[in-house]
Amino acid sequence: MGKKGILLVNLGTPDSPEVGDVRKYLNQFLMDERVIDVNALKRTLLVKGIIVPFRSPKTSKLYKEIWDENGSPLLYFSKIQTALVQEQLGDDYHVELAMRYQNPSILSALEKMKAGLVESIKVIPMFPQYASASTGSVIQSVMEIVSKWATIPPVTFVNSFHDNELMIETFADNANKYQPETYDHVLFSFHGLPERQLLKCDHTGHYCLKKDNCCDTMNDTNKFCYSAQGHDTARLIAEKLNIKREDYTVCFQSRLGKEPWVQPYTTDVLKRLATEGKKRLLVFSPAFVADCLETLYEITVEYHEEFKELGGEHVQLVESLNDNPKFITALVDMAKA
């Protein structure tokens, strides 16, 4: 019998922090029809004419702030995760890593599995909460590639793992070292999405952003909603740490452009908490399974400095899942399921 193929896919990273490589990465990322979900002409003009030319030099500088001797932290930790999952699964499995954008590519990883004559492929998009722009894009890319093969093995996907118990425990363990009870407030800051992308996931057309607190509880209507799954992740971590509901806020960072994105925005929450006299904040970013630009710079540097300018004292990031053994076990369990 052939080996079982396991494909771990994260978002991606430039090959280097230099402007040219950042430009290539942003072009591929933002030209994805699921990321900027407008008509092709408008997307092309927006991305190639405005966003990439202006953002590439700025983003390059930010990547240089987090790039170290191991290269991109996201790629570094993703490689470790892949190696550890392969080690635990053993010789009956063939584990590959891919990035949705740039390298290693999904195509190259799938070609290695094809050459290895795997008997099946399970794809694990490394995004705990489902979003069309992340998990949905990975699934579409894999299906497009495999659909062209003459022989297609059984292919399955992990849709989301926002409530995975071991993942929740890992975030809680990471937070305990900072003594959460000593902080004035806790933030669960998720990567943002345009509101229109949430609305597209509401097939009823009368629930998302139309019902009060529509994301506070999971139900059949919002079970695939990124925001609802994020709220559920935050609730489960808070419960594990005995954090009361009034002591934490779910918010969204990394807004791009002027149109409405999922709210509240993390920057607005920082202003509110500073006005309320809060001084010390503990911040989770549970949309990421490995530390990256959004955690290591946006939260650790930008939000920390912004909060201090507003009168606060400290913003402490709870590190991501990275190579934590519990999370590796969670991935192994998903691979075997």
Side-chain angles (χ1 to χ4, degrees), residues 118-151:
V118 296
E119 65 177 39
S120 63
I121 298 174
K122 172 170 275 190
V123 183
I124 306 178
M126 302 286 271
F127 315 109
Q129 301 81 26
Y130 176 87
S132 172
S134 54
T135 304
S137 181
V138 168
I139 293 173
Q140 179 175 331
S141 179
V142 170
M143 292 174 70
E144 287 174 349
I145 293 168
V146 174
S147 67
K148 297 174 183 176
W149 292 0
T151 302

Side-chain angles (χ1 to χ4, degrees), residues 3 47 50 56 59 65 92 150 185 208 216 238 240 249 273 299 307:
K3 296 184 178 184
V47 173
I50 300 175
S56 295
T59 304
E65 292 290 330
D92 291 337
H185 201 74
C208 180
D216 281 2
K240 185 70 68 174
T249 299
L273 293 174
I299 292 175
F307 190 57

